[in-house]
Amino acid sequence: MLTGSTNEISTFKGEQRALRADRIGAPALLLSVLAATAPLMVVAGVIPTTFGTMGIIGVPLLFVIVGVVLALFSFGYAEMSRHVHNAGALYAYISRGLGSTMGAGASYVALFAYSIMQVGTYGIFGFEISGQIFQHWHHNVSWWIPALCGVVITAVFGALKIDLNARTLGVLLIVETLLTLVFDFSFLGDPGPQGVSMHAFNPSTLSGAGLGTALCFVIAGFVGFEQAPVYAEETSEPQRVVSKVMFLAIGFATLFFAFSSWAITVATGPSHVVGQSQEQSANLIFALNQGRLGGAFTDTLNVFFITGIFASMLSFHNVVARYAFAMGRDGLLPPAVGRTSKSSGAPAVGSFLQSVVALVVVVLFAVTDHGKFGPQGPDPTAPVLRLFTWAGNVGALGVVLLMATAAVAVIVFFVKRGAAAVQGWRLVTSGLAAIGLLVIFVYSVKDFAVLLGANPGHGLRWILPGIIALAAVIGLVYGTVLRARRPEVHARIGKGNEAFQLEKAAAAAGSAEGTA
């Protein structure tokens, strides 16, 4: 009786320590991953900000360049996904290639980077809803009220089954993509004073003091494609589905964002795109549409701009919850975090913790925002220019660093397995990607002061990127402590449910020997 009870308890715990398989197929996974890139939010929010803040005309060319670098990265990353199925994705790959201590450091960088990107999105979400309420009903509603409503709604969806989330994200993604293509072609059909010009693809347009930070903005537009392996445990046929989805996502994002940003330069004229972006900021797309497609289309676009932001918030929320779950299962966070809901199979504790973090950050920012920004009092654009833009770019820096490290880990992983000859060309592309990503990281940190609009000696230009370094140090120190004091936990980092299954098999074998 006692043995049977123990086995039942182990099975129950095993189910809680594993995400439910076959929850999401290739189409749903692709839609979930692309929803994180938030196509309409990038086109209407990030791209005009990049034109205006960085003063660089060649944003379309930057999307092509970064797309090529990320495609090089994906060859090795996709192959790694065939060998390692773990919701910890980037940190799990780093752990399997560079060791458990490096994996621990990477896990804290990943958790922080994705978390801060998700939380920052509440700034633009609240700002846009507040603006729409004022425009249509002439009521002043503080941005943080709809932002807090967004926290609650996201928390509810985050606790539901991933397949339901995927369907919701998929519908929103399809609609916003179609709307974006409609106004892209309207820009080409009714070009600005310089006609249909390809000048934005000229390498000479990449000059400017803010090139490094522009690269960071562009990388932020792509962030989401690398999340496909996070869902590997919940997909059918992960060896085939995950890599396929990644390449489709990279291809879509590269073509879609390069085309859309080029269409914007056509609508304004390449010589005027920076000036109009500085004048209109995130309202540029809507102003350009007003004269071409009318008020009804522009109002519809505003609605789906907001739902697209929500889709991105939910997608990143799901990713953060799964990273937290993987870390709890590996012993890098309290064990309770590494448990799933019995009813939905979702990582409920990780989801709840991310909701709490979002709630705290929004409340703190709302309190400090009042009367603190702007010469005459509160700056109404602070939720976008500070919470959304700063948090998004700091998070993107963390993801770039993780991808560069993961590219190196891929090389080491296959070399240690004696597969260097078989995987030779993938190791070359991984090496090239690592170099490219490190160059982007260094330039982004170098030009971070441009993003802040501050002088190069301003403290924040080092403090904000330094948070990524702090997260890495915390993880590395904790990994070192685990190695010395709890080597069995240290050895399990990055192995996820695979380690638990091995432990269970060993326990069963021991039990059988004892019975015999």
Side-chain angles (χ1 to χ4, degrees), residues 478-499:
Y478 188 52
T480 303
V481 170
L482 286 177
R483 183 176 183 176
R485 297 186 178 180
R486 301 180 65 191
E488 73 286 353
V489 174
H490 182 268
R492 215 166 53 219
I493 295 173
K495 294 185 174 63
N497 194 50
E498 177 187 334

Side-chain angles (χ1 to χ4, degrees), residues 214-513:
L215 283 167
C216 195
F217 268 98
V218 170
I219 281 278
F222 279 95
V223 169
F225 85 93
E226 80 295 342
Q227 296 174 7
V230 172
Y231 300 96
E233 295 181 43
E234 299 167 89
T235 61
S236 54
E237 300 182 272
Q239 292 88 345
R240 182 181 62 86
V241 169
V242 171
S243 59
K244 179 180 178 181
V245 164
M246 274 195 293
F247 282 110
L248 287 173
I250 280 284
F252 172 86
T254 302
L255 295 175
F256 188 83
F257 293 141
F259 178 73
S260 295
S261 54
W262 170 63
I264 293 171
T265 69
V266 170
T268 61
S271 300
H272 306 289
V273 67
V274 171
Q276 289 195 32
S277 295
Q278 290 171 342
E279 180 183 342
Q280 298 282 352
S281 187
N283 192 50
L284 176 65
I285 295 299
F286 305 101
L288 292 173
N289 271 293
Q290 188 73 30
R292 289 175 171 84
L293 297 171
F297 181 86
T298 305
D299 289 342
T300 303
L301 195 63
N302 270 301
V303 171
F304 282 97
F305 181 44
I306 292 170
T307 60
I309 296 170
F310 170 75
S312 179
M313 288 189 323
L314 178 57
S315 185
F316 274 104
H317 177 94
N318 289 335
V319 167
V320 174
R322 280 154 180 79
Y323 265 103
F325 163 82
M327 291 174 67
R329 185 171 59 183
D330 284 351
L332 294 166
L333 289 176
V337 182
R339 297 287 183 266
T340 59
S341 166
K342 288 184 286 184
S343 59
S344 67
V349 179
S351 177
F352 173 76
L353 288 177
Q354 178 59 15
S355 297
V356 171
V357 169
L359 177 66
V360 170
V361 171
V362 170
V363 169
L364 287 177
F365 194 87
V367 170
T368 58
D369 176 43
H370 184 69
K372 297 295 183 182
F373 300 118
Q376 274 82 41
D379 179 359
T381 63
V384 176
L385 297 182
R386 291 175 174 83
L387 182 55
F388 172 66
T389 304
W390 292 5
N393 279 273
V394 170
L397 275 179
V399 175
V400 171
L401 183 60
L402 284 171
M403 288 194 292
T405 310
V408 175
V410 167
I411 297 172
V412 177
F413 176 81
F414 287 113
V415 169
K416 288 195 301 186
R417 290 169 66 98
V422 176
Q423 303 288 353
W425 69 274
R426 290 189 178 92
L427 304 191
V428 171
T429 58
S430 294
L432 293 173
I435 294 170
L437 289 164
L438 284 173
V439 168
I440 291 172
F441 180 83
V442 170
Y443 268 90
S444 298
V445 173
K446 172 179 169 290
D447 291 344
F448 211 79
V450 179
L451 169 68
L452 301 176
N455 63 67
H458 196 284
L460 277 178
R461 61 100 59 246
W462 294 113
I463 291 173
L464 290 176
I467 297 173
I468 297 296
L470 178 62
V473 170
I474 290 172
L476 290 170
V477 169
Y478 188 52
T480 303
V481 170
L482 286 177
R483 183 176 183 176
R485 297 186 178 180
R486 301 180 65 191
E488 73 286 353
V489 174
H490 182 268
R492 215 166 53 219
I493 295 173
K495 294 185 174 63
N497 194 50
E498 177 187 334
F500 175 72
Q501 294 300 331
L502 290 173
E503 290 172 8
K504 190 165 70 169
S511 176
E513 288 179 8

Side-chain angles (χ1 to χ4, degrees), residues 1 6 66 73 75 82-83 97 126 149 189 238 303 366 369 375 384 404 467 495 501 505 510-511:
M1 292 291 291
T6 303
V66 171
F73 165 78
F75 287 117
R82 300 177 188 274
H83 299 267
C149 292
V303 171
D369 176 43
V384 176
I467 297 173
K495 294 185 174 63
Q501 294 300 331
S511 176

Side-chain angles (χ1 to χ4, degrees), residues 121-151 153 302-303 305-307 309-310 313 383-384:
T121 312
Y122 288 106
I124 192 170
F125 182 75
F127 175 83
E128 288 299 327
I129 293 180
S130 175
Q132 288 300 301
I133 291 173
F134 181 79
Q135 179 179 335
H136 294 288
W137 293 285
H138 307 290
H139 290 298
N140 282 309
V141 176
S142 296
W143 70 271
W144 55 267
I145 295 176
L148 289 178
C149 292
V151 172
I153 297 170
N302 270 301
V303 171
F305 181 44
I306 292 170
T307 60
I309 296 170
F310 170 75
M313 288 189 323
V384 176

